[in-house]
Amino acid sequence: MLKFDSQLFLQTVGKDAIAQRENIEKIVDEISARGFRNLFLIGAGGTIAMMYPYEYIFKSSSTLKVHAEIAAEFMVMNHKHFGKDSVCIFASVSGTTKETVAAAQYCKDRGATTIGLVADPDTPLAKIVDYCISTGHEKHSFDTFFLHLYMLTFRFMHNNREFPLYEQFTSEVALLPEAMLEAMESFEQRAEAFAIRHKDTDYHMLVGAGNLWGNTYSYAMCILEEMQWIRSKSIHAAEFFHGTLELVEENTSVILLKGEDETRPLVERVERFAEKITKELFILDTKEFALEGISEELRQYFAISLNWALLNRISVYLERERNHPLETRRYYRKMDY
């Protein structure tokens, strides 16, 4: 695969990430034993988008009260549900994202319990939070963060007696990286073909729902806009027919992200419409991939990781075809704003 080290992926997202399970269980068990009022999932840009799938899982599968909040807005809104008995979870690959670091300090100063997901433990965010969960490296950090967020989410739910599949999850999550790798390998030709076809496309619509909405939002904003300077719009499938449908034309690129949770019919409704109008409909459906060893009951959750991994294969080919490195920026962290 282009620009991909399979063994490194299996080491970092497989062995290293899974090795944190006992540590994460200990953290959650300590917090659960003390008791807490609610959970806040806080981030900025790609990391708030990363939190949305887990907010959806909590809201659709648990009675625990959870709020996903954009860091900068959270600090100015005087959130009436936040307090010293809140548990706040943050993520930052660099550990230096200004808004996220400031929000963590804000929560810590007010007595809330704080958990930080970072790559390097020797960073500002890691030093602020009560509990630091480090990947130990920046490579594949988002893939690893997804696994750690599963562990946090399902352990909190398990301790609340709401996730009877927990033991099954702990065994199957160890199989996920290998299953993801096989899926990426089988997707490689489609990823390359998409990039070749769309290297000059200047606008994409991305549609998703449920636990894939965060990926939809993130890929449009963080990858296509920030890393490739391509105009894009993320549209929730449930809202597509309240405005955006009028912009679809014969050559409009529409990318549908189909998952396996209860919102799948919402995306399929958009699919039925789009296939009648545009010749540039691209469907990324996690259900098409085998995921050997993963049960039907857990596929809907693991679709989050699988979808993101497959989208990243498109990214490396867009980078090549457009001769536009994913690291190139004009403004982000290049100037004061």
Side-chain angles (χ1 to χ4, degrees):
M1 293 193 290
L2 181 67
K3 293 185 66 176
F4 192 85
D5 185 330
S6 299
Q7 291 307 309
L8 179 63
F9 178 82
L10 291 177
Q11 178 65 44
T12 56
V13 184
K15 295 180 180 178
D16 295 348
I18 303 302
Q20 285 282 356
R21 182 171 68 83
E22 289 186 10
N23 178 43
I24 290 171
E25 288 180 341
K26 181 180 177 182
I27 291 170
V28 175
D29 291 352
E30 285 183 9
I31 295 170
S32 298
R34 289 200 305 265
F36 60 95
R37 179 184 175 190
N38 50 30
L39 293 152
F40 278 79
L41 311 178
I42 302 172
T47 57
I48 185 56
M50 175 184 291
M51 298 298 187
Y52 290 147
Y54 302 92
E55 179 192 37
Y56 182 86
I57 292 172
F58 274 117
K59 286 185 172 180
S60 61
S61 305
S62 173
T63 59
L64 291 171
K65 296 178 175 61
V66 62
H67 308 272
E69 303 292 346
I70 300 171
E73 183 178 55
F74 169 74
M75 288 186 291
V76 300
M77 74 185 299
N78 190 26
H79 203 300
K80 296 302 183 184
H81 296 279
F82 169 75
K84 59 182 174 53
D85 48 1
S86 297
V87 177
C88 305
I89 302 174
F90 306 87
S92 171
V93 175
S94 69
T96 63
T97 309
K98 290 182 179 180
E99 301 96 326
T100 304
V101 171
Q105 190 65 61
Y106 175 95
C107 295
K108 185 74 176 291
D109 290 346
R110 285 155 182 78
T113 299
T114 52
I115 302 171
L117 306 181
V118 298
D120 183 356
D122 188 27
T123 50
L125 178 62
K127 293 176 180 178
I128 290 170
V129 296
D130 299 307
Y131 301 98
C132 174
I133 303 168
S134 171
T135 66
H137 43 73
E138 291 195 5
K139 194 68 175 174
H140 300 301
S141 288
F142 265 50
D143 294 306
T144 301
F145 284 173
F146 278 132
L147 264 63
H148 289 167
L149 284 166
Y150 288 131
M151 295 176 190
L152 286 164
T153 298
F154 293 142
R155 189 66 178 183
F156 275 116
M157 289 170 56
H158 171 72
N159 288 352
N160 204 43
R161 303 190 180 197
E162 292 178 319
F163 193 64
L165 298 175
Y166 187 76
E167 293 304 323
Q168 183 177 334
F169 159 73
T170 61
S171 62
E172 290 187 24
V173 71
L175 304 175
L176 183 60
E178 183 71 49
M180 289 168 60
L181 178 59
E182 291 177 4
M184 284 186 278
E185 289 172 345
S186 69
F187 183 67
E188 197 75 356
Q189 288 186 346
R190 284 188 66 198
E192 181 177 23
F194 178 92
I196 292 171
R197 184 176 184 89
H198 288 286
K199 64 185 179 67
D200 296 319
T201 299
D202 60 4
Y203 175 68
H204 297 276
M205 291 182 180
L206 285 87
V207 182
N211 64 29
L212 291 190
W213 168 242
N215 289 9
T216 311
Y217 175 68
S218 185
Y219 200 77
M221 178 176 66
C222 298
I223 309 300
L224 295 182
E225 292 181 347
E226 180 182 328
M227 298 184 182
Q228 285 296 294
W229 305 350
I230 300 173
R231 291 174 177 83
S232 63
K233 179 177 174 60
S234 52
I235 311 109
H236 197 289
E239 288 288 275
F240 183 87
F241 295 98
H242 297 274
T244 307
L245 79 165
E246 292 296 341
L247 296 181
V248 180
E249 297 178 340
E250 185 179 46
N251 295 314
T252 303
S253 172
V254 178
I255 302 170
L256 301 185
L257 305 186
K258 293 177 70 174
E260 301 177 49
D261 66 16
E262 51 279 311
T263 65
R264 184 178 174 91
L266 303 179
V267 181
E268 290 176 332
R269 184 187 178 204
V270 178
E271 179 182 354
R272 290 193 296 272
F273 167 82
E275 64 187 5
K276 297 174 184 176
I277 310 297
T278 180
K279 296 177 181 178
E280 299 298 338
L281 175 62
F282 183 83
I283 302 170
L284 183 50
D285 185 355
T286 61
K287 212 167 189 176
E288 295 177 0
F289 300 88
L291 292 186
E292 185 176 349
I294 305 301
S295 63
E296 285 297 318
E297 297 92 334
L298 291 174
R299 283 187 62 99
Q300 63 173 308
Y301 305 115
F302 291 150
I304 303 164
S305 286
L306 174 59
N307 172 267
W308 189 251
L310 297 173
L311 286 171
N312 281 336
R313 299 313 303 154
I314 293 175
S315 302
V316 295
Y317 284 105
L318 282 175
E319 176 183 55
R320 185 193 72 183
E321 293 301 314
R322 293 169 49 77
N323 192 28
H324 186 121
L326 295 167
E327 298 79 17
T328 301
R329 305 289 186 275
R330 287 181 293 190
Y331 312 122
Y332 183 62
R333 299 199 178 198
K334 297 289 187 182
M335 58 179 288
D336 291 329
Y337 44 80

